[in-house]
């Protein structure tokens, strides 16, 4: 082992950096200046994000009437290009201009400009036109003007930065709640209207409505002089008065109306003529977005009595409208109706609460509240933003212990099993918009644990040219490196983990790490392919604060004991103590070099991998229980098959002489087929087999019972035509389904039964034999009856 | 048909005091139809449906025009509107528009619907409002005592066609299938109660206008009209499908002529509707996706009595004849 190698092993184990030797150009170099401009190989292609078409910027679309609450700039531009610029050379000019416009808008967003799509478009269009030659100016303007007319959405343009997570979450929350408000307005507005109509009808039949002044109002001024309203009133009042509403019912309706009009949960303007009653009363509509879970939870609890009152008012209104309020019974019910009576369905009427928690660390109370809320099932959605997953204290006690790491909080929330949980990164949020929406729409609590990538200490230079603060790259890298994997746990979906938990679009989710290959040149300028895994060690190497845990090794000092971190960790057995793990980085010139990592990094990487393994198991990948069980089952199956085979052999030997091959044929098959495959084959054979004759008949209906000599009717076929019942309603009657049967065979002469059978158009009356042998004309009747046997 | 959704509290309270009706609760008066009239079987199927669906009588309304069949609302213990000849459908549409929460049924005869009310029929199908329409088709004007109707077969001798009807009869199924937005078109016969009920029940559950043509016997004036079909079960073709009829094994033994017909297949529906020598019984066509007029036209804002009064007064003011001063 060379001195250098020994130094590296020592560094790996203890973190003690090799001594610097400034004279030796080929020596291990460890000063931080050297590391500037370095980035992981994975980032090689992403030096300028503004020239890339990707998920950002995103437009948060205004107004509740769009089915999509947000769209990426690229998807909007793609639609325009598709409809405006024909494929091939014909559309090339337009396509080019539109893509250039997109690039411009993207660069405004990346440089921190704020505004809407329409504002950015205008600016970009002006900039492009200014920058073009006068000959092309007209065509350019025409192209962009026309394209502009195709954009039917507008809204704030946002890039991937420290505000992305909160903006998207709040926007989607708003989208959801606006839709709810519309439904609420419609429903409660209809209740108000119908209650008012009941009161109005009551007024119209009351004495008050017949007062001269009221009668005059009904006729109007124009003809007022032609009437004597006093006389009219006396006349009307003298006639029968109708029953007016009982006082208690009227009061109940009035109270319910008042509560409906003065509710503070939604801003409403219910009716044409009624201005907002709540406004008139000077009531402020509640707010639902808070910056801590504690505040959100408190607000929810404070408003519970108001919620109870509104729910009661709605129920009373609904009952009154169908005249279904039962005095006494319902009085008692509503008297005892309080917070404890609320059901989850009752809460679905109200907006959910949103806690946007960006500032970590949290107080102990806040931590407690988060857990309490997530286990309560209350409609409180918590967005927890992590800006930095590698704060320096990560390796000691504290943040990496539960509580301050959003990732761990999400894991804990899955364990609680009572909340919707989504974990992801800002870079991935556009892809996850429908999952986020589902979490916001789901009843009960939800946790969105999101990594913004905005707080990591990545050097500007290292991510040179990438967007403003490198949030997108950092966030995306955290997901790639399994430092902050994406998953969704929907506790309401299905009855098992397979239905509830999903690892969604984590790259290469079946493997420990994501792996890539990169085409590059070797020393002889020959093309070669570099395969590498992107681990959390690579991710840490991008962070200034961990520079001390990496040491560069120049190519001349590479030794065979050097292995990539991915390989190093993959080797579960064998002595790795003399192996030297490294990560691959490239510098500004695009040259790759190896950086050896120390034990701190290895431990952090292992830990991230173990957490990833747990997630994989939840997501049904490499499930350790299942694997173990499968092996056991396989052994049992093997043993059973061997036994069967043995007994078959014995049987065969005892029976007629059969060639050995015949006996072996099934055995060869059973030995090669795994049980699952075997079962599938059996099942296939089953479906291929024709069903037994008559199997399609749903059930075997009882044959008409063998009749004795009594008259009878095939009642189910009776068409209620009244023929028989009109003829003799003693013999024939209808059952509970209004179909005829023989109620009393002795209720009249045999003749009536025979005539009824003849008249019955569906011929379902069977007269049987006469019961009175003395009845006149029997021989003829018996003959006629025979037709209906 | 639309069912009002209540808050869970209301639901619980209403359930706890819910009344369960018997068939007798839906009966009213003794029907004054002739003995043997096919309307009786239709009435029974309807009363059974009301019982089985436990329809609240105060939220259920039967609307009819004029004819024997249009007496139907009198015999149902619910709300009813026995209207003008041919005008059952527009009345029903008005009711549904104002009160979409009601269960609306329409009873109309072949004269009422296909003759004087034909224009309303066409537009009602196109409006596709959520209601169940039963065409009681006895191929005759019954109430006015034996005049040819649009569905009377060639050769039928009646008071108005003493030498036999000479026109090809109108086929109500084909007409309905030809109108835009037809969303549920079925045919049944009054003399097979099981199928009468099954189709009625499926029509009731369909969201949109369900049109059922019922071949209805009028023993008084056309006693032989459907006799051949009744005598020969094989001339009745049952249209079975998972989205169509469910036929009991007992009935299957009598009615062996069956076709598996997917009711989403409009072309086949039209072919079936055109059959001449057989009576198709079942759901010919259904499409649950067609929007209902009352949903599409639902006003954004609620119409308060005050608001409606203001608009009306403004309109009336345009026409007021001012008294001379
Ligand atoms: C405007 C108007 N025209 C004519 C009539 C006379 N009229 C009453 S019922 C009827 C025909 C009824 O036939 P249908 O609708 O088939 O009913 P059915 O009696 O056969 O059940 C006619 C023409 C009327 N009542 N009003
Ligand atoms: S005659 Fe026949 S169809 Fe009519 S009521 Fe009697 S049994 Fe029923
Ligand atoms: S005339 Fe015909 S349709 Fe009218 S009640 Fe009599 S049998 Fe029924
Ligand atoms: Mg008729």
């Amino acid at each position: 082992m060379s001195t250098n190698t020994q130094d590296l092993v020592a560094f790996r184990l203890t973190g003690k950096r090799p001594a610097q030797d400034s004279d030796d150009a080929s020596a291990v170099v460890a000063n931080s200046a050297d590391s500037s401009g370095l980035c992981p190989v994975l980032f090689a292609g992403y030096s300028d994000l503004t020239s890339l078409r990707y998920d950002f910027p995103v437009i948060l679309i205004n107004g509740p009437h769009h089915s999509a609450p947000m769209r990426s700039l690229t998807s909007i531009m793609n639609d325009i290009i598709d409809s405006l610029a024909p494929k091939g050379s014909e559309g090339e000019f337009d396509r080019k201009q539109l893509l250039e416009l997109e690039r411009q808008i993207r660069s405004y967003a990346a440089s921190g400009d704020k505004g809407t799509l329409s504002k950015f478009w205008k600016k970009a269009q002006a900039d492009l036109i200014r920058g073009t030659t006068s000959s092309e100016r007209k065509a350019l303007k025409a192209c962009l003007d026309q394209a502009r007319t195709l954009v039917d959405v507008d809204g704030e343009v946002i890039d991937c930065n420290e505000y992305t997570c909160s903006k998207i979450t709040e926007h989607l929350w708003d989208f959801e709640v606006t839709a709810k408000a519309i439904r609420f307005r419609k429903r409660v507005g209809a209740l108000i209207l119908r209650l008012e109509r009941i009161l109005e009808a009551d007024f119209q039949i009351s004495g008050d409505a017949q007062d001269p002044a009221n009668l005059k109002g009904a006729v109007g001024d124009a003809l007022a002089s032609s009437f004597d309203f006093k006389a009219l009133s006396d006349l009307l009042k003298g006639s029968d008065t109708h029953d007016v509403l009982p006082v208690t019912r009227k009061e109940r309706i009035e109270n319910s109306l008042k509560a409906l009009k003065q509710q503070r949960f939604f801003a409403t303007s219910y009716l044409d003529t009624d201005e907002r009653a709540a406004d008139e009363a000077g009531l402020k509509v509640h707010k639902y977005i808070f910056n801590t879970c504690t505040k959100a939870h408190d607000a929810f609890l404070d408003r519970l009595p108001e919620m109870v009152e509104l729910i009661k008012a709605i129920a009373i209104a609904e009952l009154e409208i169908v005249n279904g309020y039962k005095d006494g019974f319902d009085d008692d019910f509503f008297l005892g109706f309080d917070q404890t009576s609320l059901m989850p369905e009752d809460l679905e009427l109200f907006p959910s609460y949103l806690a946007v928690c960006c500032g970590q660390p949290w107080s102990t109370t806040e931590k407690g509240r988060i857990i309490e809320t997530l286990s309560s099932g209350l409609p409180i959605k918590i967005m927890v933003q992590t800006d930095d997953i590698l704060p320096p204290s990560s390796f000691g006690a504290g943040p990496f212990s539960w509580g301050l790491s959003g990732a761990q909080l999400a894991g804990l929330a899955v364990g609680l099993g009572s909340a919707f949980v989504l974990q992801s990164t800002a870079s991935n949020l556009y892809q996850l918009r429908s999952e986020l929406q589902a979490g916001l729409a789901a009843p009960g609590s939800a946790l969105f644990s999101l990594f913004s990538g905005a707080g990591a200490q990545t050097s500007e230079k290292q991510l040179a040219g990438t967007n403003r603060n490198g949030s997108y790259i950092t966030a995306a890298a955290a997901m790639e490196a399994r430092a902050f994997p994406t998953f969704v746990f929907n506790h309401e979906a299905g009855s098992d983990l397979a239905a509830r938990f999903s690892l969604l679009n984590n790259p290469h989710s079946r493997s420990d790490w994501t792996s890539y290959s990169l085409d590059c040149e070797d020393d002889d300028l020959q093309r070669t392919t570099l395969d590498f895994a992107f681990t959390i060690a690579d991710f840490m190497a991008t962070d200034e604060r961990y520079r001390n845990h990496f040491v560069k090794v120049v190519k001349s000092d590479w030794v065979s004991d050097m292995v990539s971190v991915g390989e190093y960790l993959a080797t579960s057995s064998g002595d790795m103590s003399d192996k030297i793990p490294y990560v691959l980085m490239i510098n500004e010139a695009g040259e790759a070099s190896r950086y050896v990592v120390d034990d701190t990094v290895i431990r952090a990487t292992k830990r991230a991998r173990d957490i990833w393994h747990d997630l994989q198991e939840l997501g049904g990948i490499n499930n350790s229980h299942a694997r173990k069980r499968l092996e056991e089952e396989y052994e049992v199956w093997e043993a059973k098959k061997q036994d069967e085979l043995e007994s078959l052999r014995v049987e065969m030997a005892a029976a007629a002489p059969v060639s050995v091959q015949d006996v072996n044929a099934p055995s060869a098959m059973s030995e090669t087929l795994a049980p699952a495959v075997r079962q599938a084959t059996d099942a296939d054979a089953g479906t291929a087999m024709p069903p037994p004759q008559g199997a399609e008949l749903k059930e075997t209906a009882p044959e008409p019972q063998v009749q004795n000599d009594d008259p009878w009717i095939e009642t189910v076929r009776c068409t209620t035509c009244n023929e028989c019942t009109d003829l003799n309603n003693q013999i024939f009657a209808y059952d509970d389904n209004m179909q005829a049967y023989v109620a009393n065979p002795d209720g009249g002469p045999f003749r009536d039964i025979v005539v009824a059978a003849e008249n019955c158009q569906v011929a379902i009356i069977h007269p049987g034999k006469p019961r009175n042998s003395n009845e006149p004309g029997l021989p003829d009747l018996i003959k006629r009856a025979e037709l209906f046997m | 048909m639309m069912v009002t959704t209540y808050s869970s509290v209301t639901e619980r309270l209403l359930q706890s005091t819910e009344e369960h009706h018997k068939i007798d609760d839906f009966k009213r008066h003794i029907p004054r139809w002739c003995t043997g009239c096919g309307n009786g079987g239709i009435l029974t199927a309807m009363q059974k449906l009301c019982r089985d669906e436990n329809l609240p009588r105060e939220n259920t309304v039967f609307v009819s025009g004029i004819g024997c069949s249009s007496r139907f609302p009198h015999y149902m213990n619910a709300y009813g509107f026995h209207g003008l000849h041919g005008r059952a459908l527009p009345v029903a549409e008005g009711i549904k528009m104002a009160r979409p929460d009601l269960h609306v049924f329409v009873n109309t005869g072949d004269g009422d619907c296909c003759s004087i009310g034909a224009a309303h029929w066409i537009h009602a199908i196109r409006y596709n409002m959520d209601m169940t329409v039963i065409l009681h088709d006895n191929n005759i004007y019954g109430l006015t005592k034996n005049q040819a109707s649009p569905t009377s077969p060639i050769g039928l001798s009646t008071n108005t066609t003493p030498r036999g009807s000479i026109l090809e009869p109108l086929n109500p199924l084909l007409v309905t299938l030809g109108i835009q937005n037809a969303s549920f078109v079925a045919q049944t016969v009054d003399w097979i109660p099981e199928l009468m009920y099954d189709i009625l029940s499926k029509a009731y559950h369909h969201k949109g206008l369900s049109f059922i043509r019922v071949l209805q016997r009028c023993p008084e004036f056309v006693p032989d009209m459907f006799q051949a079909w009744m005598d020969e079960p094989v001339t009745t073709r049952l249209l079975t499908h998972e989205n169509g009829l469910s036929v009991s094994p007992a009935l299957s033994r009598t009615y062996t002529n069956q076709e598996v017909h997917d009711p989403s297949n409009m072309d086949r529906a039209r072919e079936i509707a055109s059959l001449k020598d057989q009576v198709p019984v079942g759901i010919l066509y259904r499409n649950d996706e067609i929007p209902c007029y009352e949903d599409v036209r639902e006003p954004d804002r609620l119409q308060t009595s005050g608001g409606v009064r203001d608009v009306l007064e403004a309109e009336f003011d345009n026409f007021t004849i001012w008294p001379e001063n």
Side-chain angles (χ1 to χ4, degrees):
Chain A
M1 196 188 276
S2 77
T3 319
N4 275 341
T5 313
Q6 266 171 3
D7 283 351
L8 290 174
V9 172
F11 169 72
R12 213 285 280 139
L13 292 171
T14 65
K16 184 184 171 298
R17 306 185 67 80
Q20 285 178 38
D21 183 350
S22 51
D23 296 338
D24 183 357
S26 70
V28 168
V29 186
N31 65 31
S32 57
D34 166 74
S35 60
S36 62
L38 280 175
C39 73
V41 189
L42 177 64
F43 296 1
Y46 303 96
S47 58
D48 178 11
L49 280 181
T50 56
S51 63
L52 280 182
R53 304 187 78 212
Y54 67 113
D55 285 351
F56 284 90
V58 158
I59 290 72
L60 303 180
I61 295 169
N62 291 335
H65 299 299
H66 288 282
S67 52
M70 60 196 273
R71 289 188 66 185
S72 71
L73 177 65
T74 299
S75 80
I76 293 175
M77 295 307 288
N78 280 347
D79 283 356
I80 299 176
I81 291 171
D82 280 352
S83 62
L84 209 65
K87 294 218 156 42
S89 58
E90 199 190 336
E92 197 175 321
F93 175 82
D94 285 350
R95 211 162 32 242
K96 208 175 125 216
Q97 308 313 324
L98 290 166
L99 288 174
E100 188 51 30
L101 185 99
E102 180 184 334
R103 202 193 62 75
Q104 278 287 345
I105 296 177
R106 179 168 281 119
S107 71
Y108 302 149
S111 65
D113 283 2
K114 290 191 173 50
T116 57
L117 178 61
S118 51
K119 182 186 141 189
F120 279 7
W121 184 294
K122 221 165 135 189
K123 183 164 179 249
Q125 183 160 344
D127 285 354
L128 288 182
I129 289 177
R130 210 175 305 118
T132 193
T133 58
S134 51
S135 59
E136 279 197 339
R137 203 163 284 166
K138 213 170 139 200
L140 175 64
K141 185 169 182 310
C143 161
L144 297 182
D145 278 347
Q146 199 194 345
R148 182 73 189 92
T149 63
L150 296 176
V151 188
D152 59 352
V153 291
D154 201 11
E156 190 184 352
V157 181
I158 60 159
D159 198 33
C160 187
N161 55 38
E162 65 266 48
Y163 306 113
T164 308
C165 299
S166 53
K167 281 203 163 154
I168 290 183
T169 313
E170 285 177 29
H171 178 74
L172 294 181
W173 177 87
D174 195 63
F175 189 80
E176 164 71 22
V177 171
T178 305
K180 207 173 228 183
I182 292 172
R183 292 196 296 273
F184 179 89
R185 269 198 284 279
K186 217 165 117 180
R187 180 162 164 210
V188 173
L191 294 179
I192 291 178
L193 190 66
R194 308 251 319 252
L195 289 185
E196 284 181 341
R197 282 187 183 158
I198 295 178
L199 293 182
E200 162 116 19
D202 183 51
F203 172 76
Q204 292 301 346
I205 57 170
S206 71
D208 291 349
Q210 291 154 6
D211 277 347
N214 195 58
L215 294 174
K216 186 172 176 215
V219 170
D221 289 338
L223 298 168
S225 59
S226 316
F227 288 85
D228 178 347
F229 291 105
K230 171 84 177 57
L232 189 59
S233 171
D234 290 344
L235 192 74
L236 288 170
K237 283 190 175 173
S239 65
D240 280 355
T241 44
H242 298 270
D243 286 345
V244 291
L245 289 180
V247 181
T248 46
R249 182 163 183 219
K250 194 168 169 195
E251 262 176 27
R252 211 160 46 222
I253 293 178
E254 283 168 347
N255 288 340
S256 163
L257 258 178
K258 192 165 155 212
L260 295 179
K261 286 185 172 184
Q262 299 203 340
Q263 63 78 25
R264 297 167 60 198
F265 292 96
F266 293 94
T268 44
S269 148
Y270 294 119
L271 311 168
D272 287 338
T273 47
D274 278 11
E275 276 314 308
R276 259 188 55 205
D279 260 0
E280 281 165 17
L283 295 173
K284 277 234 219 76
V285 173
H286 291 308
K287 300 265 174 293
Y288 299 92
I289 302 187
F290 299 89
N291 60 5
T292 65
C293 178
T294 306
K295 286 185 205 161
H297 196 194
D298 282 347
F300 177 85
L301 297 177
D302 281 353
R303 295 170 196 170
L304 264 174
E306 262 182 76
M307 292 164 80
V308 168
E309 286 314 306
L310 181 57
I311 285 173
K312 273 197 213 177
I314 290 177
I316 290 174
E318 288 174 336
L319 290 168
E320 284 297 354
I321 286 165
V322 295
N323 200 11
Y325 192 101
K326 304 273 181 297
D327 288 308
F329 183 90
D330 288 354
D331 290 339
D332 292 346
F333 176 85
F334 284 112
L335 209 63
F337 191 89
D338 61 11
Q339 307 178 7
T340 56
S341 328
L342 291 180
M343 299 275 185
E345 311 83 272
D346 298 327
L347 299 181
E348 280 173 37
L349 179 74
F350 300 93
S352 60
Y353 291 64
L354 180 63
V356 179
C357 311
C358 293
Q360 296 178 35
W362 306 308
S363 68
T364 324
T365 343
E366 175 74 355
K367 284 188 231 168
R369 270 308 182 82
I370 293 179
I371 297 299
E372 195 184 328
T373 303
L374 291 175
S375 17
S376 69
L378 295 178
I380 300 174
K381 317 289 175 182
I382 310 171
M383 194 283 267
V384 166
Q385 175 168 321
T386 305
D387 292 326
D388 187 1
I389 18 180
L390 299 174
S393 51
S394 302
F395 306 111
F400 246 26
S401 60
W402 106 261
L404 296 192
S405 152
Q408 277 158 324
L409 183 53
L412 193 79
V414 171
L416 289 174
S418 49
F420 184 101
V421 186
L422 178 151
Q423 170 170 296
S424 192
T425 61
S427 55
N428 199 32
L429 267 194
Y430 179 67
Q431 297 295 334
L432 286 193
R433 58 197 183 280
S434 45
E435 281 77 11
L436 203 55
Q437 272 185 284
L440 288 164
S445 48
L447 175 74
F448 310 118
S449 169
L450 306 174
F451 174 55
S452 70
Q457 310 269 308
T458 38
S459 74
E460 284 294 320
K461 197 140 182 237
Q462 190 173 24
L463 299 162
T466 60
N467 59 350
R468 201 155 58 92
N469 54 13
S471 301
Y472 180 82
I473 291 284
T474 311
M479 183 168 141
E480 298 278 322
R482 316 278 194 228
F484 215 86
T486 287
F487 67 82
V488 170
F489 173 73
N490 183 353
H491 64 303
E492 299 272 286
S495 55
D496 55 15
L497 260 181
R500 293 178 187 173
F501 189 90
S502 158
L503 277 179
L504 291 161
N505 51 356
N506 288 287
H508 308 164
S509 60
R510 306 198 72 83
S511 324
D512 280 2
W513 307 108
T514 50
S515 50
Y516 299 89
S517 31
L518 194 73
D519 286 340
C520 45
E521 284 168 4
D522 65 12
D523 291 343
D524 304 324
L525 301 180
Q526 293 303 301
R527 181 193 170 116
T528 160
T529 303
L530 215 55
D531 293 315
F532 61 95
F534 189 67
T535 69
I536 198 167
D538 300 72
F539 180 69
M540 289 172 79
T542 64
D543 196 305
E544 293 270 276
R545 294 167 296 180
Y546 298 99
R547 215 20 71 63
N548 279 341
H549 299 277
F550 296 84
V551 157
K552 178 179 175 182
V553 183
V554 295
K555 188 151 189 197
S556 54
D557 285 336
W558 290 4
V559 288
S560 58
D561 281 338
M562 291 173 98
V563 292
S564 73
V565 170
E567 277 173 78
Y568 184 83
L569 290 179
T571 317
S572 53
S573 55
D575 186 13
M576 296 298 281
S577 61
D578 55 351
K579 296 285 185 235
I580 305 167
Y582 68 87
V583 294
L584 212 53
M585 305 284 278
I586 51 169
N587 64 15
E588 278 171 322
E591 294 158 354
S593 20
R594 292 179 176 179
Y595 278 71
V596 169
V597 307
D598 72 2
D599 200 45
T600 308
V601 175
I602 287 294
R603 265 185 287 129
T605 312
K606 246 192 199 147
R607 181 154 160 66
R609 186 196 57 184
D610 291 347
I611 294 174
W612 171 246
H613 282 173
D614 291 348
L615 290 178
Q616 279 183 316
E617 285 210 27
L618 286 175
I621 298 170
N622 299 331
N623 186 307
S624 52
H625 294 289
R627 216 170 38 225
K628 217 162 125 194
R629 188 71 207 277
L630 205 68
E631 279 159 13
E632 286 166 8
E633 287 287 312
Y634 189 79
E635 274 169 28
V636 173
W637 177 83
E638 268 275 318
K640 198 166 147 237
K641 280 290 150 201
Q642 283 305 331
D643 286 352
E644 277 174 18
L645 210 61
E646 204 40 55
S647 48
L648 198 66
R649 279 207 179 95
V650 174
E651 254 176 55
M652 294 292 231
V658 188
S659 81
V660 184
Q661 237 139 21
D662 288 340
V663 186
N664 279 339
S667 77
M669 185 174 164
S670 57
E671 269 158 10
T672 47
L673 288 183
V677 181
R678 181 60 189 266
Q679 265 167 18
T681 326
D682 292 343
D684 289 347
T687 51
M689 210 137 72
Q693 281 296 312
E696 68 273 15
L697 283 184
K698 281 173 276 182
E699 68 205 63
T700 330
E703 290 289 339
Q705 62 253 65
V706 179
Q707 295 299 316
N708 50 29
D709 294 340
D710 294 341
W712 66 289
I713 294 181
E714 293 170 62
T715 300
V716 289
R717 291 182 55 204
C718 167
T719 68
T720 326
C721 76
N722 299 343
E723 276 279 4
C724 59
T725 51
D726 280 358
L727 188 83
N728 187 321
N729 62 11
Q730 294 300 307
I731 306 178
F732 305 106
Y734 286 126
D735 67 3
D736 288 346
N737 281 329
M738 279 296 286
Q739 290 180 302
Y741 69 106
V742 177
N744 178 7
D746 300 318
F750 186 57
R751 170 176 303 276
D752 281 1
I753 302 180
V754 175
V755 173
E758 285 169 342
N759 284 0
C760 175
Q761 293 176 63
V762 279
I764 54 173
I765 302 177
H766 305 283
K769 296 267 163 62
R771 300 166 69 88
N772 173 5
S773 49
N774 298 327
E775 193 176 319
L778 270 189
D780 171 54
L781 290 172
I782 291 172
K783 210 162 153 220
R784 281 157 62 186
E786 268 166 9
L787 289 171
F788 303 99
M789 290 318 238
Chain B
M1 273 202 266
M2 192 187 115
V3 178
T4 321
T5 43
Y6 293 116
S7 69
S8 68
V9 177
T10 311
E11 200 83 61
R12 273 178 279 153
L13 284 174
L14 287 177
Q15 258 170 31
S16 67
T17 55
E18 193 177 40
E19 303 171 76
H20 284 277
H21 295 298
K22 293 187 295 297
I23 210 163
D24 282 354
D25 297 329
F26 294 97
K27 284 191 199 162
R28 195 165 160 269
H29 301 321
I30 295 174
R32 283 164 50 180
W33 289 312
C34 309
T35 300
C37 176
N39 284 322
I42 306 177
L43 182 69
T44 297
M46 182 61 81
Q47 287 166 340
K48 272 199 227 171
L49 179 84
C50 291
R51 174 197 64 191
D52 295 352
E53 301 293 338
N54 203 25
L55 295 188
R57 288 173 299 183
E58 66 278 15
N59 283 342
T60 306
V61 54
F62 290 82
V63 186
S64 66
I66 298 289
C68 296
S69 43
S70 289
R71 296 193 54 78
F72 203 95
H74 292 271
Y75 308 135
M76 289 299 308
N77 191 7
Y79 278 97
F81 195 115
H82 187 175
L84 289 177
H85 195 28
R87 272 66 187 168
L89 285 164
V91 171
E93 289 167 308
I95 292 172
K96 191 72 191 177
M97 199 69 206
R99 287 289 304 277
D101 56 315
L102 299 185
H103 304 282
V104 179
F105 295 90
V106 175
N107 302 93
T108 179
D110 43 327
D112 199 55
C113 175
C114 310
S115 193
I116 191 169
H120 299 305
W121 168 29
I122 291 178
H123 294 291
I125 299 298
R126 191 165 72 97
Y127 276 53
N128 190 39
M129 298 181 76
D130 190 17
M131 57 178 72
T132 304
V133 179
I134 300 163
L135 169 62
H136 301 236
D137 191 353
N138 53 5
N139 294 5
I140 196 80
Y141 289 3
L143 189 77
T144 45
K145 303 197 187 313
N146 200 21
Q147 292 85 24
S149 90
T151 58
S152 299
I154 289 181
L156 185 73
S157 162
T158 71
N159 292 343
T160 45
T161 56
R163 275 169 287 159
S165 173
I166 49 172
L167 289 177
E168 181 74 15
L170 179 143
N171 180 333
L173 294 175
L174 267 182
V175 172
T176 309
L177 288 169
I179 301 169
Q180 279 66 24
N181 291 342
S183 71
F184 187 105
V185 183
Q187 172 159 282
T188 189
V189 293
D190 78 52
W191 56 89
I192 312 180
E194 176 186 321
L195 301 182
M196 179 68 226
Y197 179 85
D198 190 46
I199 289 180
L200 185 61
S201 158
K202 285 182 173 133
Y204 163 77
H205 286 285
H206 168 71
K207 167 102 169 107
L209 189 148
S210 334
F211 181 86
I212 314 173
R213 179 201 196 195
V214 185
L215 297 183
Q216 174 238 316
R217 289 163 300 154
C218 169
E220 188 66 22
F221 296 116
V222 279
D224 299 329
M225 186 63 76
F226 307 123
Q227 200 57 49
W229 289 334
M230 289 170 68
D231 292 346
E232 284 296 331
V234 72
T235 55
T236 301
R237 182 181 298 197
L238 304 192
L239 308 175
T240 62
H241 192 264
E242 52 183 357
N243 296 325
L245 279 190
S246 359
V247 182
S248 71
L251 201 67
S252 273
R253 275 196 291 272
T254 313
Y255 292 91
T256 49
N257 176 4
Q258 299 190 5
E259 170 179 342
V260 179
H261 167 60
D262 177 354
S264 67
N265 184 345
M266 175 62 99
D267 290 343
R268 183 62 196 144
R270 290 190 174 134
E271 283 169 14
I272 293 171
S274 316
L275 288 175
K276 289 234 154 120
D277 47 352
Q278 295 190 10
V279 202
V281 169
I283 300 171
L284 282 89
Y285 182 71
R286 75 183 292 174
N287 179 347
D288 297 339
E289 304 301 317
I290 298 178
C292 295
Y293 184 74
E294 68 271 29
D295 294 341
V296 185
R297 258 302 306 277
E298 191 177 29
D300 292 345
R301 299 183 140 248
L302 290 159
Q303 328 238 301
T304 54
S305 353
V308 171
R309 194 170 45 230
D310 290 350
V311 172
L312 285 179
E313 272 174 8
E315 283 303 312
F316 287 145
D317 280 350
N318 291 334
F319 298 100
T320 301
I321 300 160
W322 295 91
E324 282 166 39
N325 288 320

